[in-house]
Amino acid sequence: MIKEREPDLRRHPRARVTWPVTVEAGDRLLHLETINLSPFGAKLRLNDSPLEPGTLAQLHFRPADGRRLDVQAIVWRTDPDGPAFFFIGVDAPDFTFPTDAPNSIPPQT
């Protein structure tokens, strides 16, 4: 049976990047990696330490170019492959986003 792919309703592009990221959530410190990144959020790969939606966190990204990116975020949802974070207090024009990164996923109109 062939399952139709649901439409992608994203408003902002996603870049498929694998960057190390440290997550500070309460008294927890997790060393993870990104699945994808957008101007307003990130999806992280998480195996054994689930994070509940609504959890506040500080994310410390370490991209390949060496310049750190630190943002405050909230767990927006938890998927089987990991949590999706929504950045708090980040304006798109102020955010340097790797739109030229390979495997960028364009927004759907």
Side-chain angles (χ1 to χ4, degrees):
M1 180 159 109
I2 298 174
K3 184 178 177 181
E4 282 190 39
R5 189 174 181 173
E6 292 188 25
D8 188 348
L9 302 176
R10 296 173 175 162
R11 295 184 203 177
H12 303 284
R14 304 294 192 270
R16 288 186 184 133
V17 294
T18 305
W19 291 349
V21 58
T22 300
V23 178
E24 293 180 57
D27 60 351
R28 297 171 70 185
L29 189 65
L30 306 170
H31 300 282
L32 308 173
E33 69 180 15
T34 59
I35 294 173
N36 65 46
L37 181 68
S38 83
F40 294 102
K43 177 79 178 268
L44 305 183
R45 189 173 324 282
L46 181 66
N47 295 330
D48 300 328
S49 303
L51 293 168
E52 294 296 317
T55 301
L56 289 173
Q58 188 72 26
L59 307 181
H60 306 282
F61 296 94
R62 292 182 308 280
D65 69 4
R67 97 185 176 276
R68 266 180 81 141
L69 173 64
D70 300 315
V71 297
Q72 187 173 18
I74 188 168
V75 177
W76 192 251
R77 68 176 192 278
T78 301
D79 298 334
D81 58 346
F85 286 87
F86 180 77
F87 299 155
I88 299 171
V90 174
D91 292 325
D94 298 332
F95 186 79
T96 303
F97 179 67
T99 55
D100 59 345
N103 301 320
S104 290
I105 306 166
Q108 298 293 316
T109 55

